[in-house]
Amino acid sequence: MHAQQKPVPVILDTDIAGDYDDVGAMAMLHAFADRGEANILAVMSCNAFESTVPSISVLNTYFGRPDIPVGVTRKAAPNKNCPQQWAEAIIARYPHRLKSNAEAEEAVSLYRRILSQQPDHSVTIISIGFFTNLADLLASPPDRHSTLNGKDLVRKKVKQLVSMAASLPDGKTTGREYNVYVDAPSAQQVFAEWDTPFLLNPFEVGEKIHTGIPLIHKTSIRNSPVKDAYAVALAKDKNTTGRMSWDQTAVLAAIKGLQPWFTSRKLNMRIEADGSNTLIPGEKFVYMELQQPETLRQEIETLMHHQPKPKN
Ligand SMILES: [Ca+2]
């Protein structure tokens, strides 16, 4: 494989175990890391389900990176269990270094440590969950890792935030999307105060890209927690067409850029108290739009089939 670019230094912020497109997104990120196109600095969970950190650890271990730092919010989970129980299935079957959320670091402290050690304006943050950790990071005071407050640390170290969030269905000027409304106060703060380039991958992009069916029928892939998670969850959902790919489209855009799969436009948004998003004047955000759904679906499916590099 020939890397055509320097690896993108990435922190992934996920609500994994709530849904399973996050599993596909993590598989893609490890595929990019194996191709020399991404450097995974840390994985954060904005979700406090007891299965989140062990699930992250299963995937990092499977892909040969068991020691990637993992952070988790210490706030209470909105509910407790993985709806399709794929997380419990892969935790029971596959090795993982972190056995519980308590064994992971507190997310904001880990963000501050990692960011403070990186070159200025270098880190891409990919947010594929809600904004709990990122709002807490913005609000954080100076600490032993950095003399900067959270806002200044983000402004200094982050190159771009790529976020699966928001929705403007059918050309409307308002929408309401899960990653925003689950923790609306945090989303309000991040949309208003985040001060780096900010790419929004909205609901209506990933909604149209269905993946996972070819993966679960690929007989040459065995003993894969990615395949198992999709097999368990798609069966539980009685889904025969594939899961929507909200989180994978964010990872692809963050590492490879928008072309040829997406177009974009600039816009500005306010988050309301109920978690809905409203267009307002301005050009703060780059808002992704779908350009080539079929080539995009194939690209994501191929990356989700990626298996760990053989050990030397
Ligand atoms: Ca997610």
Side-chain angles (χ1 to χ4, degrees):
M1 292 293 150
H2 301 283
Q4 292 168 0
Q5 56 185 42
K6 276 177 62 180
V8 178
V10 172
I11 299 173
L12 182 74
D13 200 314
T14 170
D15 65 335
I16 197 162
D19 201 340
Y20 48 106
D21 54 333
D22 302 73
V23 176
M26 283 194 67
M28 287 177 64
L29 200 52
H30 281 284
F32 284 128
D34 283 348
R35 284 167 30 171
E37 296 181 271
N39 176 20
I40 309 170
L41 301 174
V43 178
M44 308 287 185
S45 177
C46 57
N47 181 4
F49 288 7
E50 270 308 313
S51 49
T52 55
V53 167
S55 294
I56 289 167
S57 193
V58 163
L59 294 167
N60 287 344
T61 303
Y62 172 67
F63 285 106
R65 297 184 181 84
D67 297 324
I68 290 175
V70 176
V72 64
T73 180
R74 299 288 186 222
K75 291 183 175 167
N79 47 48
K80 294 277 185 263
N81 299 310
C82 172
Q84 307 90 5
Q85 289 163 336
W86 61 261
E88 288 77 2
I90 66 170
I91 292 164
R93 182 166 176 205
Y94 294 95
H96 48 287
R97 189 173 67 81
L98 300 172
K99 312 289 187 203
S100 72
N101 290 359
E103 293 179 27
E105 297 185 51
E106 192 277 320
V108 172
S109 177
L110 180 57
Y111 263 114
R112 293 183 57 85
R113 177 160 66 80
I114 300 277
L115 288 175
S116 69
Q117 293 166 347
Q118 294 300 311
D120 291 354
H121 310 293
S122 68
V123 177
T124 293
I125 296 176
I126 307 174
S127 171
I128 54 173
F130 18 102
F131 290 91
T132 309
N133 289 330
L134 295 179
D136 289 347
L137 170 61
L138 285 177
S140 63
D143 64 358
R144 65 199 161 97
H145 303 304
S146 171
T147 57
L148 300 176
N149 66 37
K151 265 184 94 164
D152 290 340
L153 185 62
V154 165
R155 190 184 293 117
K156 186 161 195 259
K157 297 296 183 180
V158 175
K159 181 181 180 192
Q160 179 177 220
L161 172 59
V162 179
S163 179
M164 191 281 117
S167 173
L168 293 171
D170 306 322
K172 289 194 171 68
T173 57
T174 65
R176 198 161 179 274
E177 187 276 320
Y178 179 83
N179 283 346
V180 175
Y181 71 69
V182 162
D183 184 353
S186 290
Q188 282 183 309
Q189 186 181 355
V190 172
F191 275 66
E193 295 181 15
W194 196 270
D195 192 18
T196 77
F198 195 146
L199 180 65
L200 279 172
N201 172 44
F203 179 87
E204 53 268 22
V205 169
E207 180 192 24
K208 299 183 185 73
I209 309 298
H210 296 197
T211 55
I213 297 295
L215 172 66
I216 68 172
H217 290 115
K218 185 85 172 175
T219 51
S220 63
I221 298 179
R222 295 193 195 93
N223 302 318
S224 157
V226 180
K227 180 178 179 178
D228 283 10
Y230 271 81
V232 169
L234 289 167
K236 204 90 173 176
D237 282 348
K238 299 185 170 49
N239 179 329
T240 56
T241 57
R243 185 63 182 144
M244 296 167 189
S245 305
W246 296 288
D247 294 348
Q248 295 98 318
T249 45
V251 168
L252 187 67
I255 305 302
K256 300 298 286 181
L258 298 181
Q259 297 293 336
W261 309 283
F262 311 102
T263 54
S264 67
R265 61 186 166 124
K266 290 185 174 177
L267 53 72
N268 199 2
M269 279 183 170
R270 181 180 62 226
I271 305 302
E272 312 293 354
D274 69 351
S276 60
N277 56 261
T278 307
L279 274 183
I280 56 174
E283 298 193 333
K284 175 168 181 165
F285 304 101
V286 177
Y287 194 86
M288 286 164 54
E289 296 172 322
L290 197 50
Q291 171 83 356
Q292 289 192 4
E294 183 52 24
T295 51
L296 173 59
R297 188 194 62 72
Q298 289 173 14
E299 185 75 23
I300 290 172
E301 193 76 47
T302 299
L303 286 158
M304 285 171 52
H305 279 59
H306 178 75
Q307 293 180 269
K309 262 184 162 168
K311 301 265 185 325
N312 292 323

